[in-house]
Amino acid sequence: MTIGKLRWLTIAAPVAFVSVLYVLLHTVLEELHDFPGVMLTAVWAAASVSFFSFAVFRLVDRLEQRIVDQNRDLATLLEVGHGVSDSADLDVALSHTADIVRDVADADLVEVWLLRDHSLELAVRSGESEGGSSERDPSGKTLARSALTTSETLVFRAGPDDRRLVELGLDPSSIGMCCAVPLAHAGSVLGAMYVTTRSASGIACSIQLLDGIADRVALGVANAQLHERLLGEAVVEERVRIARELHDGLAQVIGYANTQTLAVRRLVQSGRTDAATRELDAMGDALRGVYTDIREAIVGLRLATDGPAGLAPSIASYLESFEHMTGIATSLEDDDGAGDLRLPQVVEIQVLRIVQEALTNVRKHARATRVAVRLAASDGDLVVEVEDDGVGLAEGNGAPTGWPRLGLRTMGERAAAVGGSFTVASTGGGTAVTVSVPVAPEASHARSAR
């Protein structure tokens, strides 16, 4: 019964009752027009109205209770959803969810099992067996595995389902009611949630609520696994990049130094000390250059993990170190508070690394005396520009020591990885490297509020 149907019932039923009573009183029940028939008719009408009213009130109470229960279930789902999405630690989110389920279901034990490397592992346990061994209480793992296999919610009650429990190797006497709900997302089953109680009244909440909670938990698990996979890929990508830079920088310089050492030895043996000195000077320049590269890389890596929060403070900190190491004057310009925008951490790190790479190119090839970094907001993007007053790409493209550089390609790859764009503009009066990355809507709103 819905509120709409109840509304029409309260209109139609009295009208029908009065119409039928009127017809009866003017046909087969005409004798009730006289006393005491009138009194009997009035009593019967009053009793009918009272019965109808009590029935309507009972339906209203049931509908109100249904609304209360639905609101409670929605509040529970909202709390679980917020807990799973807001927490960066999956174990903390699962533990919070298990406690919520135990409370709303009035359960003795709640377990969350996750499928990891084709093996079912206990992620969280909340209840009387908390901290105990799953081997001593195998019900959860057994039913979780069954839910994974069937991809369906399994519900067992003591008594009617004793035979099914025995077939699964479980003891019905220790279970009043239990269920195992699969954690499924995008067609994949990621685990199962096990809920049990010894109470004869069973689980206090609906199975539909547990299904809804399981859907939100599965989404959180899928997001956590995706984040872990992306983080692993980012680590691998960064290792490959560092390995490539070491190969193109440090390894080649060491190889060059090794070759030149043999040449210097032959020059010294032949008495050509002036030529040997020139070769040693060249080796010293190359080694100092790679030493500076390593220092820049170390500063950049430390800044990306331990530096100040926010892109603008991180760039400012790096510019200070860059100016101290190179003697090149630096400046940071912030257009209309663009530096206040907060980007996702992965985007901030990539933009910071692009700026660092651009400054490395300035140091190596531009022969500049000044470099400026500008931050601006344009059409929903954050635009970062690194401009120097050096010789420009046309003249400065080749490094003095002759070593190849892949900085431009690396910067383009970093920008593309976060959905941004990368351009280089150069004249005889310097080079401008520009990277543009999209800004999350909430970040834009936060800046507008300020």
Side-chain angles (χ1 to χ4, degrees):
M1 177 67 68
T2 64
I3 293 179
K5 292 180 179 180
L6 181 61
R7 184 183 296 114
W8 283 109
L9 178 63
T10 56
I11 296 174
V15 170
F17 175 77
V18 171
S19 300
V20 171
L21 182 61
Y22 179 83
V23 171
L24 291 176
L25 288 175
H26 288 79
T27 54
V28 297
L29 300 178
E30 288 186 358
E31 63 275 11
L32 294 181
H33 282 269
D34 300 325
F35 187 84
V38 173
M39 293 297 297
L40 292 176
T41 301
V43 171
W44 178 58
S48 299
V49 170
S50 299
F51 175 79
F52 177 76
S53 300
F54 285 128
V56 170
F57 293 156
R58 186 176 181 85
L59 284 174
V60 170
D61 290 340
R62 289 172 58 184
L63 288 174
E64 287 181 346
Q65 186 60 45
R66 184 188 302 176
I67 293 173
V68 170
D69 293 341
Q70 289 177 346
N71 288 339
R72 184 185 64 241
D73 290 351
L74 289 174
T76 300
L77 292 175
L78 185 63
E79 184 178 1
V80 171
H82 280 314
V84 170
S85 61
D86 293 346
S87 177
D89 190 330
L90 179 61
D91 290 338
V92 172
L94 292 179
S95 179
H96 179 62
T97 300
D99 291 340
I100 292 175
V101 173
R102 184 183 170 199
D103 181 55
V104 299
D106 196 18
D108 295 321
L109 178 65
V110 176
E111 295 176 343
V112 177
W113 295 81
L114 297 181
L115 194 60
R116 293 170 176 163
D117 298 326
H118 306 290
S119 177
L120 198 59
E121 298 180 4
L122 179 63
V124 166
R125 170 183 287 138
S126 174
E128 61 180 18
S129 298
E130 191 169 354
S133 171
S134 59
E135 298 301 327
R136 292 197 300 267
D137 183 15
S139 305
K141 187 172 187 178
T142 300
L143 294 182
R145 185 182 291 112
S146 298
L148 253 82
T149 303
T150 61
S151 298
E152 296 179 354
T153 299
L154 304 179
V155 182
F156 298 88
R157 290 183 178 274
D161 297 316
D162 283 357
R163 178 175 295 180
R164 294 173 62 198
L165 292 170
V166 171
E167 290 175 353
L168 291 171
L170 304 178
D171 181 11
S173 63
S174 63
I175 298 174
M177 179 180 178
C178 66
C179 70
V181 187
L183 306 178
H185 176 72
S188 299
V189 182
L190 309 176
M193 180 173 65
Y194 171 72
V195 183
T196 183
T197 178
R198 290 193 178 92
S199 173
S201 60
I203 295 173
C205 66
S206 66
I207 301 300
Q208 288 77 11
L209 175 60
L210 296 181
D211 287 335
I213 292 174
D215 289 341
R216 285 151 181 79
V217 172
L219 178 60
V221 172
N223 287 338
Q225 292 178 349
L226 177 60
H227 180 269
E228 184 177 353
R229 184 165 63 252
L230 291 177
L231 184 60
E233 292 176 357
V235 170
V236 171
E237 180 183 349
E238 191 69 11
R239 287 177 177 174
V240 171
R241 186 196 61 78
I242 293 174
R244 185 172 61 195
E245 290 182 355
L246 289 175
H247 175 269
D248 293 338
L250 180 61
Q252 292 197 27
V253 170
I254 292 176
Y256 163 77
N258 182 57
T259 302
Q260 292 303 101
T261 299
L262 298 177
V264 169
R265 179 178 297 174
R266 286 194 295 268
L267 290 173
V268 171
Q269 290 174 349
S270 63
R272 300 167 60 188
T273 56
D274 291 341
T277 300
R278 288 194 295 272
E279 293 295 335
L280 287 174
D281 290 341
M283 288 173 55
D285 291 340
L287 291 172
R288 280 189 292 272
V290 77
Y291 171 71
T292 303
D293 289 344
I294 293 174
R295 284 188 61 190
E296 283 186 355
I298 292 174
V299 170
L301 291 172
R302 285 179 175 174
L303 193 61
T305 56
D306 302 327
L311 181 61
S314 297
I315 292 177
S317 178
Y318 187 79
L319 286 176
E320 182 179 352
S321 300
F322 179 83
E323 183 171 343
H324 176 73
M325 287 188 296
T326 65
I328 300 174
T330 63
S331 63
L332 177 62
E333 302 174 12
D334 185 356
D335 181 14
D336 192 26
D340 294 334
L341 293 173
R342 290 306 305 270
L343 304 174
Q345 186 179 19
V346 63
V347 178
E348 287 190 353
I349 291 176
Q350 294 289 31
V351 173
L352 179 60
R353 296 295 288 161
I354 291 172
V355 172
Q356 293 168 355
E357 186 68 36
L359 291 173
T360 297
N361 284 342
V362 171
R363 175 183 61 80
K364 287 184 176 181
H365 312 301
R367 298 200 291 274
T369 60
R370 179 189 59 81
V371 61
V373 178
R374 300 184 184 89
L375 305 178
S378 175
D379 297 329
D381 290 347
L382 175 66
V383 180
V384 183
E385 182 185 58
V386 182
E387 183 179 14
D388 65 71
D389 63 351
V391 296
L393 280 178
E395 182 179 349
N397 201 28
T401 56
W403 307 119
R405 63 186 175 93
L406 302 176
L408 294 178
R409 189 180 76 181
T410 300
M411 287 188 281
E413 292 173 352
R414 288 187 180 279
V418 292
S421 61
F422 169 79
T423 59
V424 180
S426 179
T427 64
T431 302
V433 172
T434 304
V435 58
S436 177
V437 294
V439 178
E442 57 269 21
S444 300
H445 295 160
R447 189 169 78 94
S448 299
R450 286 192 291 269

